[in-house]
């Protein structure tokens, strides 16, 4: 009887020890899981801090391509805030940085407000393909003649007329054809494809040397540029 109790005691000890092994294994897996999450978070933070490498050569540019600071605006031609940016902030950037050779300015499409946001983007891209300098005159002309964002006003006919009124040195028949045939849809789609990876939530969104600017007021943009120049 005594031997039987000893065997039972030994068996009971083994049964009590088993949960300890399971508990240790669970702790190890939990630790590994926590470490994995930490690594993901750290990598995510590092990626956010890493400047984005734009394909500047494929974008309309204003100013010297050799300028040490590169400014990129993501805009929608139907966006009222983009119009305000083009009329109030951009002229200051031109005077202080673009005309002085300290910065160059690039434009990318984020056409999301309406169907004709894409039409306007197609028109601007078509002008750019004909003449880079004419693009900037046209870019401003569209913003200056912007209508209510809730109506479809950026029609091919209207966009061609804006180009004529601005006396752009381009082929207007080719412009009309390019808009109607969506010749440069791929280029517009390329710009829009950057929105998600760059976490762009609206327009305008401005980047300085590949990093998003936290605010659109001129003081913030200026300080960001000055820091990039150092």
């Amino acid at each position: 009887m005594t031997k039987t109790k000893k065997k039972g005691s030994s068996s009971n000890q083994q049964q009590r020890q088993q949960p300890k092994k399971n508990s240790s294994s669970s702790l190890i897996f939990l630790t590994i899981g926590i470490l994995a999450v930490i690594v993901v978070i750290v990598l995510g933070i590092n990626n956010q801090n890493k400047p984005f490498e734009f394909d500047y050569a494929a974008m309309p540019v204003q100013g010297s391509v050799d300028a040490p600071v590169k400014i990129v605006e993501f805009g929608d031609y139907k966006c009222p805030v983009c119009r305000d940016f083009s009329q109030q902030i951009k002229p200051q950037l031109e005077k202080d940085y673009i005309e002085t050779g300290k910065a160059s300015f690039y434009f990318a499409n984020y056409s999301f407000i309406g169907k004709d946001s894409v039409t306007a983007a197609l028109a601007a891209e078509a002008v750019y393909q004909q003449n880079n300098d004419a693009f900037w005159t046209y870019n401003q002309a569209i913003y200056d003649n912007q209508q209510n964002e809730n109506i479809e006003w950026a029609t091919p006919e209207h966009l061609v007329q804006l180009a004529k009124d601005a006396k752009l040195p381009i082929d207007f028949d080719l412009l009309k054809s390019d808009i109607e045939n969506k010749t440069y849809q791929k280029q517009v789609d390329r710009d829009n494809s950057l929105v998600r990876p760059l976490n762009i939530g609206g327009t305008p969104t401005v980047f300085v040397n590949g990093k998003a600017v936290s605010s659109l007021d001129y003081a913030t943009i200026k300080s960001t540029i000055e820091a990039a120049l150092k």
Side-chain angles (χ1 to χ4, degrees):
M1 295 294 293
T2 305
K3 291 182 179 180
T4 302
K5 289 182 179 180
K6 286 185 178 180
K7 288 181 180 180
S9 176
S10 175
S11 176
N12 289 338
Q13 288 176 356
Q14 290 176 359
Q15 290 173 352
R16 287 196 297 269
Q17 290 171 355
Q18 188 65 35
K20 292 183 180 179
K21 291 181 180 179
N22 291 338
S23 177
S24 299
S25 299
S26 299
L27 183 59
I28 291 172
F29 284 122
L30 179 61
T31 303
I32 293 173
I34 293 173
L35 289 174
V37 171
I38 292 173
V39 169
V40 170
I41 293 173
V42 171
L43 289 176
I45 293 173
N46 288 336
N47 286 334
Q48 289 179 352
N49 293 332
K50 185 179 179 181
F52 183 79
E53 292 294 332
F54 289 101
D55 184 6
Y56 294 107
M59 303 167 69
V61 58
Q62 184 177 6
S64 173
V65 295
D66 297 321
V69 173
K70 298 183 185 303
I71 306 167
V72 175
E73 175 204 353
F74 277 81
D76 185 317
Y77 289 107
K78 294 193 67 173
C79 167
V81 185
C82 294
R83 178 198 58 209
D84 294 343
F85 178 85
S86 74
Q87 295 175 340
Q88 300 170 19
I89 303 297
K90 191 162 176 283
Q92 298 181 71
L93 293 173
E94 291 173 347
K95 178 183 176 182
D96 295 342
Y97 297 104
I98 299 171
E99 294 173 1
T100 59
K102 295 178 180 179
S104 51
F105 194 93
Y106 299 79
F107 184 84
N109 296 289
Y110 179 16
S111 42
F112 71 99
I113 292 177
K115 177 182 176 182
D116 52 333
S117 294
V118 177
T119 308
L122 288 169
E125 186 67 32
V127 169
Y128 163 61
Q129 296 295 333
Q130 289 197 48
N131 187 314
N132 176 80
D133 292 337
F135 168 86
W136 294 104
T137 303
Y138 191 54
N139 175 279
Q140 191 62 52
I142 298 177
Y143 279 133
D144 289 343
N145 290 276
Q146 185 186 88
Q147 299 178 34
N148 191 301
E149 65 180 308
N150 296 313
I151 64 173
E152 189 174 328
W153 56 265
T155 62
E157 295 74 20
H158 180 66
L159 292 164
V160 171
Q161 189 58 51
L162 284 180
K164 291 179 178 179
D165 292 343
K167 296 181 172 56
L168 301 184
I170 62 170
D171 184 328
F172 300 118
D173 290 334
L174 178 57
L175 171 60
K176 186 174 185 294
S177 174
D178 284 339
I179 297 172
E180 293 176 341
N181 295 322
K182 301 181 179 181
T183 305
Y184 298 106
Q185 184 70 59
K186 185 179 294 185
Q187 284 79 357
V188 173
D189 290 343
R190 175 202 61 203
D191 287 354
N192 284 300
S193 70
L194 297 176
V195 170
R196 179 170 293 181
L198 289 174
N199 295 317
I200 296 174
T203 54
T205 295
V206 175
F207 288 79
V208 171
N209 282 358
K211 290 188 175 184
V213 179
S214 60
S215 176
L216 289 175
D217 63 279
Y218 185 67
T220 300
I221 298 175
K222 180 177 181 179
S223 64
T224 304
I225 295 173
E226 289 295 336
L229 286 170
K230 292 181 181 178

